Amino acid sequence: MKLGLTFPSVETDFDRKPETRPARVATWLEHAGKREPATAARLIGDALAAINRVALGDSRRHELVAQYWKASQPLWSPLVREFSRAPQPLRGDAQDAARAAVTLAVELSNAYKRMLEAEAAKRIAFGARLTASLVRRSLQAGSRVLTNSYLSYSPVPPQTWHDLHAIYVFARSRNLHRTPRENEASGSTPEDIYIQSLLLALANPYGLFPGQIDIAIRYLAQYSHAAKLTDVAPVHRMAKAVAIVPVGHDFPPFSANKGGSVNGSKLFLLTFDLAFTLQEQLRSVESGGPAPTGFRAEAPHRGNVALLRRLLRQWAIPPARQFSRLPSRGRVIALAGFLNAWHGSRTDDTRMIAGHPDLPPPTTCQILNQTPGGYALRQIAATPSSLRIGDLITLRVEGKPGLQLAILRWFRNAPTGTALEFGCELVSDSPRSATAAAEDALDHLPTPVVVLPGDRDNDDVAPDQVAVPSGTFGIEQAIGMWRDKGKHVAVLTKVVEHGPDYEIYEFAAVG
């Protein structure tokens, strides 16, 4: 059976043929592994890339790849620490570490895919045990490619998803998808590894904070068994808690209720039981109970609740897409951060574009696509600004009057260079700067706030909102706001959004 996996072809033109004697390779790997993690990963990845492109006997290739697999395992944690919490877009050592980590994972995946393809094509195989072992390693290596890509906010390399789908379908056809590792009857199966990869992709990892991606991975190791894969279409294919797995295509699963279709065969991931588990855990945490396994016990209560709600939404009740994305090539000036939003909304366009000397500088972006609710942008400035998930973004769109205020929802590093592609959700087309203080405070200086007027053009009137610095005010607090050359009294009625340096509240005017 030909699997049709993607891996490098065998070459014959080498300036220097790679070392393939196992004893020599073992000694070299031991010395290379003692280098600084990024350097070790780069050296080992380059050496494995050469091994993947040279003709070898099956037994020799198996022995060598097993050595490279073992040598790579101690490197993942220090590599991830080096780039996962670095400012985005990645630069310098953090960028080098991320690229080395992804490259090493890709070469390990190539190695096991080559061996699996060769074993599957044999008319007389060595038995199901070897095939099952290669299936497991191939899925683990592919999963590592995904994990390193997500943790570094980098694009997933081409053909990664196509090959993961193909390997799982092959395992399913050979009835190997639920075979635990040898001597571990209760261990994870190839199907468990694959489902965890599917669920991690459905969690929209490019929109998670770095620490949250780690939590989601640990959580899935404990609870992914609650999700089920089937080739039988559910009765309600557009129901929530159903995801479509596009077998034969090079893209991740997508929620069924987001619409869209794919040609060819497909699988269906059912997350009903996982949703029930999440709902019970969320109810327990909101009542003061402990966080689920995988979560950090010392993490803020509000953060655990927010992440559980997000996972529940992504895996069970994702919002249906309302608008198609329209391609565009317009330009945008963007400023990040709450104080930039306040400063930008109180100045004219020229001063806003120039920025403020004490605040993060503006960055020039190109629109990739847009909807009435937001934009997908790419930084094109020579020195792109650092961004964080959840940042307030003030936008000046070329050809449009006035400013817009948005929240950064996801980003990933551009395939080449040092820049980010990011998506932002619009929250206001007419932000207005103001100052505010607690109504009962007599000696407190007013603090900057940004008023986000509600939409009164539609039948459903959107309430007025106000963005304030984090921790300044609280729910049901009366505040005085100075704007439009007068003082207005309002009560904060509902928390709408938390960000790195701000909070957004709905408010009701009372005077």
Side-chain angles (χ1 to χ4, degrees):
M1 174 182 179
K2 185 173 178 58
L3 277 170
L5 303 179
T6 307
F7 44 81
S9 59
V10 171
E11 300 176 4
T12 56
D13 185 15
F14 287 95
D15 292 334
R16 183 179 178 184
K17 196 171 182 181
E19 178 62 70
T20 60
R21 289 170 291 185
R24 294 286 185 91
V25 170
T27 301
W28 181 84
L29 286 173
E30 183 180 357
H31 288 292
K34 295 177 181 178
R35 305 284 294 272
E36 183 270 331
T39 301
R42 179 176 56 81
L43 292 173
I44 294 173
D46 289 346
L48 181 56
I51 295 293
N52 285 336
R53 289 157 178 81
V54 69
L56 289 172
D58 290 347
S59 60
R60 175 64 60 87
R61 188 178 297 279
H62 279 253
E63 186 174 2
L64 290 174
V65 173
Q67 290 179 344
Y68 279 93
W69 175 272
K70 182 178 179 181
S72 69
Q73 299 313 298
L75 297 177
W76 300 131
S77 292
L79 281 170
V80 167
R81 282 196 299 269
E82 192 160 342
F83 63 73
S84 64
R85 296 185 182 275
Q88 299 287 343
L90 294 176
R91 299 178 175 88
D93 293 342
Q95 186 182 51
D96 292 341
R99 288 177 174 172
V102 173
T103 299
L104 177 56
V106 166
E107 292 302 338
L108 285 168
S109 178
N110 286 336
Y112 279 104
K113 286 189 294 185
R114 179 187 293 280
M115 292 190 294
L116 178 60
E117 181 90 34
E119 187 65 23
K122 291 177 179 178
R123 295 182 62 184
I124 301 177
F126 287 105
R129 180 180 298 179
L130 176 59
T131 306
S133 175
L134 291 174
V135 163
R136 169 182 289 276
R137 280 286 189 253
S138 298
L139 290 173
Q140 287 176 325
S143 176
R144 173 53 66 178
V145 174
L146 296 177
T147 299
N148 288 351
S149 299
Y150 295 149
L151 288 169
S152 61
Y153 295 95
S154 302
V156 174
Q159 296 300 110
T160 299
W161 277 110
H162 173 277
D163 290 351
L164 279 173
H165 298 324
I167 293 166
Y168 173 75
V169 170
F170 167 76
R172 193 180 181 97
S173 70
R174 295 286 184 92
N175 200 29
L176 300 173
H177 58 304
R178 293 178 181 169
T179 303
R181 185 162 57 184
E182 188 178 0
N183 300 325
E184 288 190 19
S186 60
S188 63
T189 65
E191 184 170 85
D192 295 331
I193 299 168
Y194 182 60
I195 287 178
Q196 289 172 27
S197 297
L198 297 177
L199 289 170
L200 184 59
L202 285 171
N204 185 20
Y206 293 119
L208 294 174
F209 301 120
Q212 290 180 326
I213 299 176
D214 287 328
I215 293 171
I217 292 170
R218 293 197 301 269
Y219 181 89
L220 287 171
Q222 295 290 327
Y223 299 104
S224 63
H225 63 271
K228 307 299 180 187
L229 260 178
T230 178
D231 54 0
V232 179
V235 175
H236 302 290
R237 289 182 55 187
M238 299 297 289
K240 296 175 181 179
V242 176
I244 296 174
V245 182
V247 174
H249 297 269
D250 188 31
F251 53 88
F254 58 92
S255 176
N257 77 324
K258 287 187 179 295
S261 60
V262 292
N263 297 324
S265 60
K266 57 183 72 71
L267 298 171
F268 300 92
L269 182 64
L270 310 181
T271 59
F272 300 102
D273 292 342
L274 181 60
F276 292 140
T277 299
L278 273 166
Q279 286 174 330
E280 289 300 318
Q281 291 169 341
L282 180 59
R283 188 178 297 112
S284 173
V285 172
E286 288 179 327
S287 302
T293 303
F295 281 63
R296 295 188 178 93
E298 72 280 3
H301 172 80
R302 188 173 70 183
N304 285 336
V305 170
L307 181 55
L308 280 170
R309 287 176 177 167
R310 180 187 180 93
L311 295 178
L312 179 62
R313 182 177 70 250
Q314 293 298 128
W315 291 336
I317 50 174
R321 183 172 293 137
Q322 300 296 321
F323 306 101
S324 298
R325 298 187 180 96
L326 301 176
S328 176
R329 286 299 177 264
R331 292 203 172 193
V332 174
I333 301 298
L335 297 105
F338 171 79
L339 287 178
N340 260 330
W342 183 76
H343 173 73
S345 61
R346 64 190 291 269
T347 61
D348 58 36
D349 288 356
T350 303
R351 292 174 62 193
M352 178 267 184
I353 292 172
H356 190 283
D358 298 326
L359 297 175
T363 185
T364 305
C365 303
Q366 183 180 47
I367 300 175
L368 301 176
N369 58 66
Q370 64 185 90
T371 72
Y375 300 93
L377 304 172
R378 176 189 290 131
Q379 294 177 329
I380 57 174
T383 55
S385 299
S386 295
L387 297 175
R388 298 170 294 182
I389 301 294
D391 265 340
L392 273 182
I393 304 291
T394 308
L395 304 174
R396 171 66 172 88
V397 181
E398 186 178 59
K400 281 188 177 182
L403 304 177
Q404 296 178 313
L405 199 64
I407 297 176
L408 195 153
R409 294 303 189 190
W410 60 265
F411 57 50
R412 62 172 172 249
N413 285 279
T416 59
T418 303
L420 289 176
E421 296 175 352
F422 62 95
C424 51
E425 177 187 0
L426 290 177
V427 293
S428 179
D429 284 321
S430 53
R432 301 174 186 173
S433 64
T435 57
E439 178 62 10
D440 56 358
L442 300 178
D443 56 352
H444 286 196
L445 293 175
T447 187
V449 300
V450 181
V451 178
L452 315 175
D455 183 4
R456 292 174 173 80
D457 294 335
N458 300 319
D459 294 336
D460 297 329
V461 178
D464 294 328
Q465 299 177 351
V466 60
V468 306
S470 295
T472 308
F473 303 115
I475 194 74
E476 298 183 356
Q477 183 174 1
I479 62 173
M481 289 191 291
W482 287 266
R483 60 187 174 103
D484 300 331
K485 299 182 180 180
K487 179 183 177 182
H488 306 266
V489 179
V491 175
L492 305 179
T493 58
K494 180 182 178 182
V495 181
V496 177
E497 192 79 37
H498 297 282
D501 59 354
Y502 69 91
E503 295 167 333
I504 297 180
Y505 291 87
E506 290 182 3
F507 70 87
V510 294

